Amino acid sequence: MIRTHALPAFSYLVPAGLSGRLRVGSVVSAPLSGRQRVGVVVALERAESDAPRATEWIRSVSPDLALPETTVALCERLSQETSTSLAQTLRCALPPGLRTDRYAVRKPAPDWPWSRGEVVSRTSLRRTLGEETFREAEADGRVSLEVRLPEPPSREFAVALISAEQASRELRRAPSQRQVFERLLRLGGEAGVEELLASVNASRQNLRALAARGLVRLERRATAAAISSATGAGDAADERRSSAYARVLREGEVCVRRVPSRSTVRETLAVARAAFLSGTRLLVLVPETSLADRLAGEIARYLPAEATVGRYHGRLGDERAAVWRAAVSGELDVLVGTRSAALLPLRDIGAVCVLDEPNPAHRAAPGHEGLAAHAREVALARSAVEGSAVVFLSPFPSLRLAELARRGAVRELRPLHQQEWADVRLVDVRGTGAYLSEPLISACKATLARGGSVGVVSEKSGHSRALMCGGCGRPALCRNCGVPLIVTGPPSRDKGMLACGRCDHREPVPENCPECGSGRLVALGAGAGRLRELLLERLGVRVGTAPGEGTPVVVGSPAELLCWSFWDLLVFPAADSFLFGSWMGASERAFRVLYGAAESCRRLVVQTRDPENPTLLAAVRGDYRSFAAAELSRLRKLGYPPFGHLARLDFSGREQEVRRAVESLGVTERDGEVTSSGPVRSAAGGEPGGWTLLLRAKNREAVARAARRAAVRTAKSGGKVRLTVEIDPEEI
């Protein structure tokens, strides 16, 4: 599958022998540009006599890889909405690691060492036939590409072949071997080799000796550790919670529910129970692999024994192929995965549950091989195409989802409120240059004296700091990108340089604020590295970098410290670095971080130079509704999502080629419903010759079509220019 916008769908002839095996969604091999390629059938038509006829033939079909027709329709929809090539979107629905290095011999030549139907590796064909003859055989259809799932991972097992009485006689003079064998019998007569040897602290040599004597057989078996059978029976007391979701699943509704972070797992279990009892297969999407593993285990321990639960995320490697096969064949009742599972074709899917929906980890970064769409959008598209119910569970929905709920497109269930809320203290540090105020240090010392845990939330790693005016409160912004500039180097170099992390623009630190002329320019806190140094100096205790290290104080990012850990004290030495971002979603992200902090601790101390900031106050009070109302009103005036739609186009390549490509698009002119910003320099693709454009329109389809036209034109540049398209990015 060639992941480019330059190539449309191609038409091929279907041999009579394959016509009965081919359908929409079939994975096939077919010739393209002198090579056999992997493709997916997106339509079947009977050729009319006056229609242009295809000249190439489908070579082979892989029936065990076929996608459901609804999945193909879903991929086509998402391809249009995200301006992603259809090939890339379809690839996200297939399992990773497909084997494309095997060929079936169809018409062997007399001097070939292989018979008809034999499967041979590409390496063997090239070595035996030579590159040129191999290419000719591939083009003539004498060998055809065989697309296969990767081999499942395997483990070595030991199986006992004799009884305990026989072993006692055979192993009288081999105590180490007898110990291993007796342990094997206690484990039921067979066990994994690694687990067996570890349990008796024995070497593999003892096991080999047992095998050589014919007492034990060693064999390798395919494993599917990511698939497990449930072992519980549920909790009858949870029937009331499950019944709240039963109607949603039965009616195929899309709903959102605000639940405390610490109640998310419990509510997900209720959704899983409702789905299983109603015969509905459930896909659960989570932002992190660790949560996927934990949640899948909780569900397996909770559901009745006849249920089957699977996990799907990048850390599983080739084991994902076995999970994919089980999902497509209908062997799974519940599948828990990260964003890579969003398009997985779970057979007869009836519901999708998305946890912590505002989390940016639900969306692939621009340029990532995954689908450039948020799991929220994929879930909504699945509901529209497949008719599945969707349940969003989070402490607060994103503003995009909140607007859908306000319009009535999403039903809002009664929220669940957290019973306990943090004791919050705001420390006004206006007029001071201290990174760590005395109230903050006193709170840390008091907590440590009681044996409590302290988490310190930092925006940046290293020593980088944003610069803010103490007079007018405006941050120093990049003249190209409009994002806050940061002071480079250690804090001692206050008269250093300001740098943009997006386009690498640099300029000296000014003497006065360019907006109001004030000379009170203040760096917004220290980075994580500097904070650890300061805390070690002021508190005299070890300072860690992640929870679970055994250190009483931990400095980390919000993703590392919040939601899934609970602290006696959380502190924000520089809350303004979250509050004063200039990008579109800065206020929403700041609210999410501060709200999550108030959920995750007994006491919260926040240092700020703007203690009356409405986003800050709403977050620490847990007042989501007032924040959403105010922020949605602001976004409506600006025409930003969810009230308008955007496409960010990042061009990268050689300076001259990028400039020519940008100019050829005519992007500075109004294009019907779509308008565009002027191009600005950026570090797109990590290259200095990058440019970024922003397209805007009230209609999502219009901005997606304009972005697609740009992608198609750029794809025809022969690789001289690369373009990354992001529709409705989370941050602008």
Side-chain angles (χ1 to χ4, degrees), residues 287-300:
E288 301 165 2
T289 57
S290 58
L291 179 57
D293 292 336
R294 171 191 167 195
L295 187 58
E298 294 278 357
I299 293 174

Side-chain angles (χ1 to χ4, degrees), residues 66-120:
L67 296 173
E69 190 168 348
T70 53
T71 300
V72 176
L74 174 65
C75 290
E76 289 178 325
R77 176 181 178 133
L78 288 168
S79 172
Q80 294 293 329
E81 290 182 353
T82 63
S83 290
T84 305
S85 70
L86 180 57
Q88 181 171 340
T89 310
L90 287 166
R91 185 65 187 83
C92 293
L94 290 168
L98 290 180
R99 297 291 300 273
T100 58
D101 59 348
R102 296 288 188 273
Y103 285 77
V105 178
R106 302 298 183 192
K107 302 173 184 177
D111 58 338
W112 286 11
W114 311 289
S115 57
R116 183 184 181 91
E118 192 171 348
V119 177
V120 187

